[in-house]
Amino acid sequence: MRDIEEHEAPTFGAALRRWLVYSVTGLLAIGVLGVLWCLFDRPWRQCWHDKAARTFVAG
């Protein structure tokens, strides 16, 4: 996971925000939509938790 602007490891706050969005929405039915979102997002293929933390997964 990398910061979308600096391409560095995210700060603790960004990582915490990403985890909170992922886990809270995961407890709700909309969590499935948040994860499926990355299938259609371009160009970064970000899920909602990535967008909240301004990160992307680097392969």
Side-chain angles (χ1 to χ4, degrees):
M1 157 176 58
R2 297 288 180 196
D3 182 272
I4 202 160
E5 292 178 358
E6 300 173 10
H7 295 263
E8 299 283 332
T11 63
F12 176 77
L16 179 63
R17 186 170 44 252
R18 183 179 188 271
W19 179 80
L20 284 171
V21 170
Y22 178 76
S23 59
V24 170
T25 59
L27 294 174
L28 306 172
I30 62 169
V32 174
L33 293 175
V35 173
L36 291 176
W37 184 269
C38 66
L39 296 175
F40 304 101
D41 185 63
R42 298 284 186 253
W44 297 104
R45 292 190 179 262
Q46 294 173 295
C47 295
W48 290 347
H49 53 276
D50 292 317
K51 289 190 176 295
R54 300 186 50 77
T55 60
F56 69 99
V57 176

